[in-house]
């Protein structure tokens, strides 16, 4: 046992470095754009825009990760985003239905679309690529048919709250803003939330550490744990402080946090989550071990439809309208977020937190390149190179482990 212990610690250390390497890359990319933009990307308003512009991408990345863990992807989520946003906006704007009715119908449409995809994959064994490609084409066609190639809006203020609203604020004078030295403010509600979140993060880490020690599991060196917590708390406080200097906490950030927390718990602490990882690792072995792989496939894709509907509502609420081209290319951003965040192309490897980090890497790249003034053509080249690099890194690391 004593001989194996150093090997176990080394293995954990390597996994830890790989897991948080993308977080370090995220910080480095942000700092590069900080220099390139003269600090514009770190302004409170830009940080607020960064979060609100990438809220729906994070929501889609969370659902997409479950699909990626099975070794597949969902190409239809962008079209489902457009379809559900169109359903919701049409009911509220054209038919004058209550906002909650529009949201409920959109969620039902998205869930039904996901269940339909899951049925063809799980029951009829049609390859997910084919089924989701069909849902992409059909969803986009139905969106154009429903909207009649027009923009439906503006949506009412109550509708827009979920995508463009903020939590209540308690502001106090703080510093000055802009070249004219206009008096600034600081939101105490945001600071209180940051304090509570920091305490929860520290308590969770301490609890995790003692649980591992209790059951004699290998633990990371203390310096790694402390460094990890310092990085997480630094990012948390940086974001919250910038938001506190603007309009406070966006509602979409609260929604993101709730969704990420729920799905992180599902994937890391429940039987359903372990079944997804088992299915992605080896489908045949998972089936022989008693896992109902058809059921797993079905609920994973039905869940993807539900989260696509949530993203569709958030997007239409932020834009204040529904358009036929809404969500165009979102499926690629969601898939790229998962792979950049450390998910394996073959399935069975990846985390919710990693997908969120990957989504913000994409978001910071988009935001930074836009501030610099690069054309959309160059932006696509850069994002493609980052995605390819992430997958190559995953393959090389696997080959080294095999050696």
């Amino acid at each position: 046992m004593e001989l194996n212990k150093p090997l176990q610690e080394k293995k954990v250390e390597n996994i830890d470095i790989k897991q948080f390497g993308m977080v370090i890359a995220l910080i480095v990319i942000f700092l590069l754009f900080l220099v390139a933009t003269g600090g514009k990307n770190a302004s409170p308003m830009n940080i607020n825009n960064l979060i609100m512009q990438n809220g729906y991408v994070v929501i889609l990345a969370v659902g997409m990760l479950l699909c990626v863990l099975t070794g597949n992807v969902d190409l239809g989520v962008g079209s489902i985003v457009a379809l559900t946003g169109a359903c919701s906006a049409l009911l509220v704007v054209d038919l004058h239905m209550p906002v909650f009715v529009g949201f409920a119908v959109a969620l039902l449409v998205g869930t039904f679309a996901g269940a339909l995809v899951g049925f063809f994959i799980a029951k009829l064994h049609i390859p997910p690529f084919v089924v989701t490609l069909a849902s992409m084409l059909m969803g986009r066609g139905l969106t154009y048919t429903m909207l009649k190639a027009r923009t439906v809006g503006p949506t009412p203020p109550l509708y827009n709250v979920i995508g463009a609203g903020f939590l209540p604020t308690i502001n106090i004078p703080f510093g000055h803003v802009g070249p004219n030295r206009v008096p600034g403010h600081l939101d105490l509600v945001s600071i209180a939330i940051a304090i509570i979140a920091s305490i929860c993060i520290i308590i969770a880490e301490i609890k995790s550490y003692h649980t591992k020690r209790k059951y004699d599991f290998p633990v990371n060196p203390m310096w790694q744990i402390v460094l990890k917590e310092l990085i997480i708390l630094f990012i948390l406080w940086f974001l919250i402080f910038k938001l506190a200097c603007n309009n406070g906490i966006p509602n979409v950030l609260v929604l993101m946090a709730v969704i990420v927390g729920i799905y992180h718990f599902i994937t890391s602490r429940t039987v359903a989550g372990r079944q997804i990882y088992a299915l992605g690792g080896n489908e045949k072995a998972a089936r022989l071990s008693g896992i109902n792989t058809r059921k797993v496939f079905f609920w994973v894709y039905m869940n993807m439809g539900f989260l696509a509907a949530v993203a569709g509502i958030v997007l239409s609420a932020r834009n204040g309208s529904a358009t036929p081209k809404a969500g165009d290319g979102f499926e690629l951003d969601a898939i790229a977020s998962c792979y950049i965040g450390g998910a394996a192309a073959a399935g069975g490897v990846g985390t919710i937190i990693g997908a969120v980090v990957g989504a913000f890497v994409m978001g910071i790249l988009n935001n930074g390149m836009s501030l610099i003034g690069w054309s959309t053509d160059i932006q696509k080249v850069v994002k493609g190179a980052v995605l390819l690099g992430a997958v190559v890194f995953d393959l090389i690391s696997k080959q080294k482990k095999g050696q």
Side-chain angles (χ1 to χ4, degrees):
M1 293 298 293
E2 293 297 329
L3 293 176
N4 292 332
K5 188 174 181 181
L7 296 177
Q8 288 179 332
E9 290 181 353
K10 184 178 180 181
K11 181 180 180 182
V12 174
E13 184 177 352
N14 289 336
I15 293 174
D16 200 54
I17 291 174
K18 180 181 178 182
Q19 181 180 358
F20 294 98
M22 192 50 63
V23 176
I24 297 173
L26 175 70
I27 297 174
V28 170
I29 293 171
F30 184 84
L31 293 176
L32 289 175
F33 282 118
L34 182 68
V35 175
T37 62
K40 290 181 180 179
N41 68 327
S43 66
M45 183 175 294
N46 188 69
I47 294 297
N48 175 79
N49 292 336
L50 181 66
I51 291 175
M52 298 184 75
Q53 289 171 359
N54 291 278
Y56 33 84
V57 178
V58 171
I59 294 171
L60 290 176
V62 169
M64 186 64 72
L65 177 74
L66 304 188
C67 300
V68 171
L69 288 176
T70 67
N72 304 283
V73 295
D74 189 339
L75 299 176
V77 294
S79 297
I80 302 303
V81 166
L83 179 62
T84 52
C87 290
S88 183
L90 281 171
L91 288 172
V92 174
V93 176
D94 288 0
L95 301 181
H96 307 290
M97 293 285 187
V99 171
F100 76 89
V101 173
F103 288 173
V105 171
L107 293 175
L108 288 174
V109 170
T111 304
F112 175 76
L116 199 61
V117 170
F119 171 78
F120 282 104
I121 294 173
K123 301 297 182 182
L124 302 183
H125 301 290
I126 300 177
F129 180 86
V130 176
V131 179
T132 58
L133 179 60
S135 71
M136 178 179 70
L137 299 174
M138 295 169 65
R140 189 64 63 179
L142 287 172
T143 304
Y144 272 92
T145 301
M146 290 175 56
L147 296 179
K148 299 178 182 178
R150 63 191 176 96
T151 298
V152 175
T155 50
L158 182 60
Y159 187 106
N160 299 336
V161 165
I162 191 173
F166 297 84
L167 293 182
T169 58
I170 302 176
N171 294 322
I172 60 172
F174 182 82
H176 295 82
V177 180
N180 297 326
R181 306 295 292 171
V182 178
H185 65 269
L186 189 70
D187 173 35
L188 294 182
V189 174
S190 301
I191 299 301
I193 290 175
I195 294 173
I196 295 172
S198 300
I199 294 173
C200 292
I201 290 172
I202 294 172
I203 291 175
E205 184 62 40
I206 293 174
K207 184 178 178 181
S208 174
Y209 178 81
H210 285 294
T211 301
K212 291 179 180 178
R213 291 294 299 270
K214 179 180 178 180
Y215 293 100
D216 201 25
F217 290 157
V219 295
N220 297 322
M222 185 56 65
W223 70 267
Q224 279 195 16
I225 297 175
V226 173
L227 179 61
K228 179 186 73 172
E229 292 301 301
L230 289 176
I231 292 174
I232 293 174
L233 292 176
F234 172 78
I235 294 174
L236 171 68
W237 276 93
F238 176 80
L239 291 176
I240 298 297
F241 179 78
K242 292 294 183 178
L243 294 174
C245 293
N246 191 54
N247 293 319
I249 304 294
N251 291 334
V252 68
L253 179 59
V254 178
L255 179 62
M256 283 166 45
V258 171
I259 290 176
V260 170
I262 291 173
Y263 283 87
H264 176 68
F265 176 80
I266 290 174
T267 54
S268 62
R269 299 293 182 87
T270 67
V271 173
R274 289 193 290 271
Q275 288 179 344
I276 298 175
Y277 282 99
L279 172 60
N282 191 319
E283 182 179 353
K284 184 177 180 180
R287 187 168 59 251
L288 292 175
S289 67
I291 296 175
N292 188 339
T293 55
R294 292 186 178 185
K295 182 179 179 181
V296 175
F297 271 123
F298 180 79
W299 85 260
V300 162
Y301 280 93
M302 184 174 69
N303 172 77
M304 185 71 257
F306 171 78
L307 290 179
V310 174
I313 292 172
V314 171
L315 178 62
S316 60
R318 172 167 168 73
N319 294 335
S321 62
T323 63
K325 290 189 176 182
D328 188 23
F330 279 16
E331 61 278 352
L332 301 181
D333 286 339
I335 295 169
S337 299
C338 295
Y339 290 144
I340 292 173
V349 177
T351 62
I352 294 293
I353 303 301
V356 173
V357 172
F360 276 107
V361 167
M362 296 289 290
I364 289 174
L365 284 172
N366 287 331
N367 180 263
M369 290 186 290
S370 297
L371 290 175
I372 292 175
W374 288 3
S375 66
T376 55
D377 301 330
I378 299 299
Q379 292 183 30
K380 290 179 179 179
V381 173
V382 173
K383 289 192 293 184
V386 172
L387 174 60
L388 183 61
V391 176
V392 169
F393 174 77
D394 177 66
L395 292 175
I396 292 176
S397 62
K398 284 184 177 178
Q399 290 175 356
K400 288 184 177 179
K401 286 181 180 180
Q403 292 176 354

